[in-house]
Amino acid sequence: MSVSSPVRLGLNIDHVATLRNARGGARPDPIEAARLAVTAGADGITAHLREDRRHIRDEDIRRIKAEIAAPLNLEMAATEEMTGIALKTKPHACCIVPERRQELTTEGGLDVAGSAEHLLPVVKRLVQGGIRVSLFIDPEPRQIEAAARLGAPVVELHTGQYCEAWIAREEATARAELDRLARAATLAASAGLEVHAGHGLDFETATHLAAFPEIRELNIGHVIIGEAVFIGLPEAIRRMRAAIAKGVDKRPGGHAPAQQQQQQQQQ
Ligand code: PXP
């Protein structure tokens, strides 16, 4: 577990479950991956229990809670079924994401502005249940403002568009997307929201995001699990931690003040 970084690293273990399910057996075990990752320096585990259970299953969520001491961030759609599971499981956090059955992965952010009425009771019940609620949104001012109005303490900014432009080497678009994320992070923090980010990040783009002073957590899966095939999971986690540390060093004033670190460790 890292105690000195102002940016928590949440490892998304969905892709380990995908690999396991491909052969219908028990291995590779996502919970074993979670255990290794935490020992190597991940601060928490993220898992998306989808309506169709295509990767993570209910039993995985139960086992993470029972066997892994690090905080669990349960990604879920804002449905009655998932709200019930979350309230029963009591993960440290719930990240509410939009979910469409046909998509390969979560494609866009949640339309908080357009579905506040539907989201409000879900957010309220989870918050009252002692769960830290995060809303996965595109880096748009109207979504940030709607998230703040809804009373969720955290937003996770969708970095997918930025990462796609970066990978395609579309320089102007990548720069514009990174600027959009930076403005969104500032706006969200000024609205009192804790700022997380994720989706599509790699070892370079994670550095860029970690350089934003407002970022407190990055949730990353695919690139770490993919790299683990070649270098092993502990080494992939260490490499990602180094990428994040490089970004933090680029922050104005370098490392976060001790007070911020202290607050973070208490959460
Ligand atoms: N954050 C959210 C809300 C996601 O839906 C995902 C993908 O499941 C991630 C982070 C991790 O994305 P990736 O696997 O591309 O790193």
Side-chain angles (χ1 to χ4, degrees), residues 10 12 14-15 46-48 50 55 73 75 95-98 105-108 134-137 156-159 197-202 218-224:
N12 183 316
D14 297 352
H15 306 286
T46 292
H48 185 174
R50 294 185 73 106
H55 38 59
N73 173 33
E75 281 183 17
C95 180
I96 303 183
V97 299
T105 178
T106 313
E107 280 165 3
S134 139
L135 302 174
F136 184 53
I137 55 169
E156 179 167 326
L157 299 177
H158 193 321
T159 53
H199 208 283
L201 291 169
D202 64 15
L218 294 177
N219 285 302
I220 308 178
H222 190 263
V223 78
I224 295 178

Side-chain angles (χ1 to χ4, degrees), residues 90-111:
K90 296 223 178 284
H92 168 75
C94 277
C95 180
I96 303 183
V97 299
E99 206 175 285
R100 285 173 286 272
R101 266 179 187 265
Q102 304 309 323
E103 66 191 0
L104 279 177
T105 178
T106 313
E107 280 165 3
L110 203 58
D111 181 14

Side-chain angles (χ1 to χ4, degrees), residues 75-88:
E75 281 183 17
M76 54 172 258
T79 62
E80 187 54 39
E81 183 200 13
M82 289 301 154
T83 306
I85 291 173
L87 289 170
K88 210 170 81 191

Side-chain angles (χ1 to χ4, degrees), residues 134-173:
S134 139
L135 302 174
F136 184 53
I137 55 169
D138 288 326
E140 289 174 7
R142 69 187 201 102
Q143 300 296 352
I144 294 162
E145 285 152 10
R149 278 198 301 274
L150 221 59
V154 183
V155 284
E156 179 167 326
L157 299 177
H158 193 321
T159 53
Q161 278 177 281
Y162 165 57
C163 294
E164 273 175 30
W166 174 266
I167 287 163
R169 297 285 176 235
E170 292 163 0
E171 248 178 67
T173 311

